[in-house]
């Protein structure tokens, strides 16, 4: 019997690169479980003047110019989707939400249902709203009819990275993601791919 290979899409927005690094660690973990993986950056929608006013934002925009951009086709393609967004006032970033809001057509056709979903986020400080952001993100998944797969406390990597059972969260102001954060991200990617494989079987 040929082993099941899940298709995992890592769809994320990043302004300065923190979530870009985390997204690639999630992808690495999913690939370690045999998944076929797409990593896709949500397009920037902020005014160019805003991007140019922040050196780190500007540098990442230039560095990521060649990165593949997220498309609705990536959501339809995937068996499992890991979403990532910076925290903005305890919620996802506007750029990420704008992309998600274009998925109504897929939702109405039932094409977002019965997939595995998970999330990751980052904030400037430890109590910057990471858990709130992940919970807000998951509200959309309830509407999709998806299966939310969190890390819980199912691996020591979760506690080593600060113990967020809702998903991966990075404190950017502490120079994150740390090696512990990346291990947590790799574990989440592997867990999502493993669960998707089980569902497919």
């Amino acid at each position: 019997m040929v082993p099941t290979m899940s298709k995992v899409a890592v769809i994320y927005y990043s302004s300065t690169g923190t979530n870009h690094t985390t997204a690639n660690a999630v992808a690495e973990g999913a690939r370690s479980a045999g998944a076929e993986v797409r990593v896709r950056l949500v397009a920037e929608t902020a005014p160019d003047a805003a991007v140019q006013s922040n050196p780190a934002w500007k540098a990442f925009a230039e560095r990521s110019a060649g990165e593949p951009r997220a498309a609705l086709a990536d959501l339809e393609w995937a068996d499992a989707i890991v979403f990532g967004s910076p925290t903005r006032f305890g919620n996802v970033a506007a750029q990420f939400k704008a992309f998600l809001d274009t998925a109504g057509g897929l939702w109405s056709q039932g094409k977002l249902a019965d997939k595995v979903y998970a999330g990751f986020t980052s904030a400037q400080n430890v109590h910057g709203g990471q858990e709130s952001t992940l919970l807000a993100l998951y509200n959309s998944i309830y509407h999709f009819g998806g299966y939310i797969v969190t890390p819980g406390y199912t691996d020591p990597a979760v506690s080593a990275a600060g113990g967020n059972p809702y998903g991966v969260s990075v404190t950017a102001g502490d120079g994150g993601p740390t090696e512990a954060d990346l291990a947590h991200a790799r574990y989440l990617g592997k867990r999502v791919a493993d669960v998707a494989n089980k569902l497919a079987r």
Side-chain angles (χ1 to χ4, degrees):
M1 183 176 177
V2 178
T4 303
M5 177 187 287
S6 57
K7 295 180 291 185
V8 178
V10 183
I11 308 292
Y12 72 101
Y13 171 72
S14 187
S15 56
T16 60
T18 299
N19 286 331
H20 169 76
T21 303
T22 307
N24 282 289
V26 171
E28 183 183 338
R31 289 189 187 104
S32 76
E36 181 182 353
V37 181
R38 291 182 184 179
V39 182
R40 299 291 187 264
L41 174 63
V42 169
E44 184 60 75
T45 60
D48 187 59
V51 177
Q52 297 299 316
S53 70
N54 181 321
W57 198 355
K58 177 184 176 183
F60 179 71
E62 292 171 352
R63 191 167 74 248
S64 63
E67 294 284 333
R69 293 312 194 250
L72 294 179
D74 299 313
L75 302 181
E76 187 171 2
W77 167 84
D79 302 309
I81 301 165
V82 183
F83 286 130
S85 171
T87 291
R88 297 289 185 265
F89 305 113
N91 210 325
V92 298
Q95 293 89 334
F96 178 85
K97 184 64 165 59
F99 171 74
L100 209 58
D101 285 348
T102 67
L106 291 178
W107 165 79
S108 67
Q109 297 171 65
K111 292 183 176 179
L112 299 178
D114 302 324
K115 297 176 185 283
V116 172
Y117 293 89
F120 62 91
T121 190
S122 62
Q124 191 65 20
N125 53 297
V126 174
H127 299 293
Q130 290 99 321
E131 292 180 357
S132 174
T133 296
L134 291 169
L135 292 171
L137 168 62
Y138 296 155
N139 285 335
S140 297
I141 312 310
Y142 304 142
H143 286 256
F144 294 169
Y147 304 113
I148 298 173
V149 174
T150 66
Y153 294 106
T154 58
D155 190 273
V158 180
S159 294
N164 189 342
Y166 302 99
V168 175
S169 59
V170 174
T171 303
D174 288 345
T178 64
E179 281 305 314
D181 293 329
L182 296 178
H184 189 188
R186 285 188 288 269
Y187 173 66
L188 180 65
K190 181 180 185 302
R191 179 167 164 80
V192 164
D194 284 342
V195 172
N197 287 339
K198 289 178 183 177
L199 283 174
R201 288 196 296 270

